Short mmCIF file of all heavy atoms in Angstrom, two decimals:
data_model
loop_
_atom_site.label_atom_id
_atom_site.label_comp_id
_atom_site.label_asym_id
_atom_site.label_seq_id
_atom_site.Cartn_x
_atom_site.Cartn_y
_atom_site.Cartn_z
N GLY V 389 -28.77 -24.31 -21.29
CA GLY V 389 -29.62 -25.48 -21.42
C GLY V 389 -28.87 -26.80 -21.51
O GLY V 389 -29.49 -27.85 -21.68
N HIS V 390 -27.54 -26.78 -21.41
CA HIS V 390 -26.77 -28.02 -21.43
C HIS V 390 -26.89 -28.73 -20.08
O HIS V 390 -26.83 -28.09 -19.03
CB HIS V 390 -25.29 -27.74 -21.72
CG HIS V 390 -25.03 -27.28 -23.12
ND1 HIS V 390 -24.71 -28.13 -24.15
CD2 HIS V 390 -25.05 -26.03 -23.66
CE1 HIS V 390 -24.54 -27.44 -25.25
NE2 HIS V 390 -24.73 -26.16 -24.99
N LYS V 391 -27.03 -30.02 -20.11
CA LYS V 391 -27.10 -30.79 -18.88
C LYS V 391 -25.68 -31.11 -18.41
O LYS V 391 -24.88 -31.68 -19.17
CB LYS V 391 -27.87 -32.09 -19.10
CG LYS V 391 -28.06 -32.90 -17.83
CD LYS V 391 -28.88 -34.16 -18.10
CE LYS V 391 -29.05 -34.97 -16.82
NZ LYS V 391 -29.83 -36.21 -17.06
N PRO V 392 -25.32 -30.73 -17.19
CA PRO V 392 -23.97 -31.02 -16.69
C PRO V 392 -23.71 -32.52 -16.65
O PRO V 392 -24.59 -33.32 -16.33
CB PRO V 392 -23.97 -30.42 -15.28
CG PRO V 392 -25.11 -29.47 -15.24
CD PRO V 392 -26.13 -30.01 -16.19
N HIS V 393 -22.50 -32.91 -16.99
CA HIS V 393 -22.14 -34.33 -16.95
C HIS V 393 -22.16 -34.85 -15.51
O HIS V 393 -21.70 -34.17 -14.59
CB HIS V 393 -20.75 -34.54 -17.54
CG HIS V 393 -20.66 -34.22 -19.00
ND1 HIS V 393 -21.52 -34.74 -19.94
CD2 HIS V 393 -19.80 -33.41 -19.69
CE1 HIS V 393 -21.20 -34.29 -21.14
NE2 HIS V 393 -20.17 -33.48 -21.02
N GLU V 394 -22.69 -36.03 -15.32
CA GLU V 394 -22.69 -36.68 -14.01
C GLU V 394 -21.68 -37.83 -14.03
O GLU V 394 -21.48 -38.48 -15.04
CB GLU V 394 -24.09 -37.20 -13.68
CG GLU V 394 -25.14 -36.10 -13.57
CD GLU V 394 -26.51 -36.65 -13.26
OE1 GLU V 394 -26.64 -37.89 -13.15
OE2 GLU V 394 -27.47 -35.85 -13.14
N ASP V 395 -21.06 -38.04 -12.90
CA ASP V 395 -20.06 -39.12 -12.77
C ASP V 395 -19.00 -39.01 -13.87
O ASP V 395 -18.67 -39.99 -14.55
CB ASP V 395 -20.73 -40.50 -12.83
CG ASP V 395 -21.77 -40.68 -11.73
OD1 ASP V 395 -21.51 -40.20 -10.61
OD2 ASP V 395 -22.82 -41.27 -12.00
N TYR V 396 -18.49 -37.80 -14.05
CA TYR V 396 -17.51 -37.51 -15.08
C TYR V 396 -16.12 -37.84 -14.54
O TYR V 396 -15.51 -37.05 -13.83
CB TYR V 396 -17.62 -36.04 -15.47
CG TYR V 396 -16.86 -35.62 -16.71
CD1 TYR V 396 -16.10 -36.51 -17.47
CD2 TYR V 396 -16.91 -34.30 -17.14
CE1 TYR V 396 -15.42 -36.10 -18.59
CE2 TYR V 396 -16.24 -33.88 -18.27
CZ TYR V 396 -15.49 -34.77 -18.99
OH TYR V 396 -14.81 -34.36 -20.10
N THR V 397 -15.63 -39.03 -14.87
CA THR V 397 -14.38 -39.54 -14.29
C THR V 397 -13.19 -38.62 -14.59
O THR V 397 -12.39 -38.33 -13.70
CB THR V 397 -14.08 -40.95 -14.82
OG1 THR V 397 -15.19 -41.80 -14.54
CG2 THR V 397 -12.83 -41.52 -14.16
N TYR V 398 -13.08 -38.18 -15.83
CA TYR V 398 -11.94 -37.33 -16.21
C TYR V 398 -11.94 -36.03 -15.40
O TYR V 398 -10.91 -35.61 -14.87
CB TYR V 398 -12.00 -37.02 -17.71
CG TYR V 398 -10.84 -36.19 -18.21
CD1 TYR V 398 -9.63 -36.78 -18.54
CD2 TYR V 398 -10.95 -34.81 -18.34
CE1 TYR V 398 -8.56 -36.02 -18.99
CE2 TYR V 398 -9.89 -34.04 -18.79
CZ TYR V 398 -8.69 -34.65 -19.11
OH TYR V 398 -7.63 -33.88 -19.55
N ASN V 399 -13.11 -35.41 -15.28
CA ASN V 399 -13.21 -34.16 -14.52
C ASN V 399 -12.89 -34.39 -13.05
O ASN V 399 -12.25 -33.55 -12.39
CB ASN V 399 -14.61 -33.58 -14.68
CG ASN V 399 -14.70 -32.16 -14.14
OD1 ASN V 399 -13.70 -31.46 -14.00
ND2 ASN V 399 -15.91 -31.72 -13.84
N GLN V 400 -13.31 -35.52 -12.51
CA GLN V 400 -13.03 -35.82 -11.10
C GLN V 400 -11.53 -36.01 -10.87
O GLN V 400 -10.98 -35.55 -9.87
CB GLN V 400 -13.77 -37.09 -10.67
CG GLN V 400 -13.60 -37.44 -9.20
CD GLN V 400 -14.02 -36.31 -8.28
OE1 GLN V 400 -15.14 -35.79 -8.41
NE2 GLN V 400 -13.14 -35.91 -7.36
N LEU V 401 -10.85 -36.66 -11.83
CA LEU V 401 -9.40 -36.83 -11.71
C LEU V 401 -8.69 -35.48 -11.76
O LEU V 401 -7.71 -35.26 -11.04
CB LEU V 401 -8.89 -37.75 -12.83
CG LEU V 401 -9.29 -39.22 -12.71
CD1 LEU V 401 -8.92 -39.98 -13.98
CD2 LEU V 401 -8.62 -39.86 -11.49
N LEU V 402 -9.18 -34.57 -12.59
CA LEU V 402 -8.61 -33.22 -12.63
C LEU V 402 -8.82 -32.51 -11.29
O LEU V 402 -7.91 -31.85 -10.77
CB LEU V 402 -9.24 -32.40 -13.75
CG LEU V 402 -8.87 -32.73 -15.20
CD1 LEU V 402 -9.53 -31.74 -16.14
CD2 LEU V 402 -7.36 -32.71 -15.40
N SER V 403 -10.03 -32.62 -10.75
CA SER V 403 -10.34 -31.97 -9.47
C SER V 403 -9.44 -32.48 -8.35
O SER V 403 -9.03 -31.72 -7.47
CB SER V 403 -11.81 -32.20 -9.10
OG SER V 403 -12.67 -31.67 -10.08
N ASP V 404 -9.11 -33.77 -8.40
CA ASP V 404 -8.22 -34.33 -7.38
C ASP V 404 -6.82 -33.72 -7.46
O ASP V 404 -6.07 -33.76 -6.48
CB ASP V 404 -8.12 -35.86 -7.56
CG ASP V 404 -9.43 -36.56 -7.26
OD1 ASP V 404 -10.29 -35.94 -6.61
OD2 ASP V 404 -9.60 -37.72 -7.68
N GLU V 405 -6.48 -33.19 -8.63
CA GLU V 405 -5.15 -32.62 -8.82
C GLU V 405 -5.11 -31.12 -8.55
O GLU V 405 -4.10 -30.47 -8.83
CB GLU V 405 -4.66 -32.90 -10.25
CG GLU V 405 -4.38 -34.38 -10.51
CD GLU V 405 -3.61 -34.60 -11.79
OE1 GLU V 405 -3.65 -33.72 -12.67
OE2 GLU V 405 -2.96 -35.65 -11.91
N TYR V 406 -6.19 -30.54 -8.03
CA TYR V 406 -6.21 -29.12 -7.72
C TYR V 406 -5.41 -28.87 -6.45
O TYR V 406 -5.95 -28.74 -5.35
CB TYR V 406 -7.64 -28.62 -7.57
CG TYR V 406 -8.39 -28.48 -8.88
CD1 TYR V 406 -9.75 -28.20 -8.91
CD2 TYR V 406 -7.73 -28.63 -10.10
CE1 TYR V 406 -10.44 -28.07 -10.10
CE2 TYR V 406 -8.41 -28.50 -11.30
CZ TYR V 406 -9.75 -28.22 -11.30
OH TYR V 406 -10.43 -28.08 -12.49
N THR V 407 -4.10 -28.83 -6.61
CA THR V 407 -3.19 -28.62 -5.50
C THR V 407 -1.91 -27.99 -6.01
O THR V 407 -1.59 -28.09 -7.20
CB THR V 407 -2.86 -29.97 -4.81
OG1 THR V 407 -1.88 -29.75 -3.80
CG2 THR V 407 -2.29 -30.97 -5.81
N PHE V 408 -1.20 -27.30 -5.13
CA PHE V 408 0.12 -26.77 -5.47
C PHE V 408 1.22 -27.69 -4.97
O PHE V 408 2.40 -27.40 -5.12
CB PHE V 408 0.29 -25.36 -4.89
CG PHE V 408 -0.62 -24.34 -5.53
CD1 PHE V 408 -1.80 -23.97 -4.91
CD2 PHE V 408 -0.30 -23.78 -6.75
CE1 PHE V 408 -2.65 -23.05 -5.50
CE2 PHE V 408 -1.14 -22.86 -7.35
CZ PHE V 408 -2.32 -22.48 -6.71
N ASP V 409 0.81 -28.79 -4.37
CA ASP V 409 1.75 -29.81 -3.90
C ASP V 409 1.83 -30.90 -4.97
O ASP V 409 1.30 -30.76 -6.07
CB ASP V 409 1.24 -30.38 -2.57
CG ASP V 409 2.36 -30.96 -1.73
OD1 ASP V 409 3.42 -31.27 -2.30
OD2 ASP V 409 2.17 -31.11 -0.51
N PHE V 410 2.50 -32.00 -4.65
CA PHE V 410 2.49 -33.12 -5.58
C PHE V 410 1.05 -33.63 -5.73
O PHE V 410 0.32 -33.75 -4.76
CB PHE V 410 3.38 -34.26 -5.07
CG PHE V 410 4.85 -33.95 -5.15
CD1 PHE V 410 5.61 -33.82 -3.99
CD2 PHE V 410 5.47 -33.80 -6.38
CE1 PHE V 410 6.96 -33.53 -4.06
CE2 PHE V 410 6.82 -33.52 -6.46
CZ PHE V 410 7.57 -33.38 -5.30
N PRO V 411 0.63 -33.95 -6.96
CA PRO V 411 -0.74 -34.44 -7.17
C PRO V 411 -0.90 -35.82 -6.57
O PRO V 411 0.07 -36.54 -6.34
CB PRO V 411 -0.86 -34.47 -8.70
CG PRO V 411 0.53 -34.65 -9.20
CD PRO V 411 1.41 -33.90 -8.23
#
Side-chain angles (χ1 to χ4, degrees):
H390 290 268
K391 184 178 180 181
H393 295 308
E394 297 179 359
D395 301 322
Y396 191 0
T397 304
Y398 182 84
N399 191 21
Q400 184 56 53
L401 290 171
L402 287 184
S403 300
D404 293 343
E405 292 193 338
Y406 286 172
T407 175
F408 293 99
D409 205 339
F410 289 114

